[in-house]
Amino acid sequence: ATPDGANLVFVAANMDPTAEHGSIVDVPIERLGLAPSEPYAMRELLSDTVYEWRGPRGYVRLVPDQDPAQIFRLER
């Protein structure tokens, strides 16, 4: 990853076709120069939805027949 977060992508995938699962996405905010309380945008590329996250971790919910995978790009 570059210091400004360009092209930083995170992927979460549910490999269970019958059940919903959650996942924690770890974001190396210290390497990006982000403070724990500083907000940053995570754009989910499949739905083009933008979420505001803070801190080094985010939770995602993965539903097989709706969102079996999510691909996030960190935007500042």
Side-chain angles (χ1 to χ4, degrees):
T2 62
D4 65 0
N7 299 317
L8 194 55
V9 174
F10 302 84
V11 177
N14 181 356
M15 303 306 287
D16 182 346
T18 62
E20 176 181 317
H21 290 276
S23 179
I24 299 294
V25 175
D26 290 311
V27 181
I29 62 170
E30 66 286 341
R31 287 182 43 205
L32 300 172
L34 295 167
S37 62
E38 185 177 349
Y40 54 93
M42 292 291 272
R43 180 178 301 275
E44 201 291 305
L45 299 175
L46 300 175
S47 67
D48 200 34
T49 303
V50 178
Y51 300 94
E52 183 179 287
W53 286 14
R54 294 173 193 266
R57 293 192 172 121
Y59 178 79
V60 298
R61 186 177 71 122
L62 304 166
V63 181
D65 60 346
Q66 296 172 4
D67 296 310
Q70 293 184 337
I71 303 170
F72 294 94
R73 182 178 63 220
L74 191 146
E75 298 178 348
R76 297 175 87 181

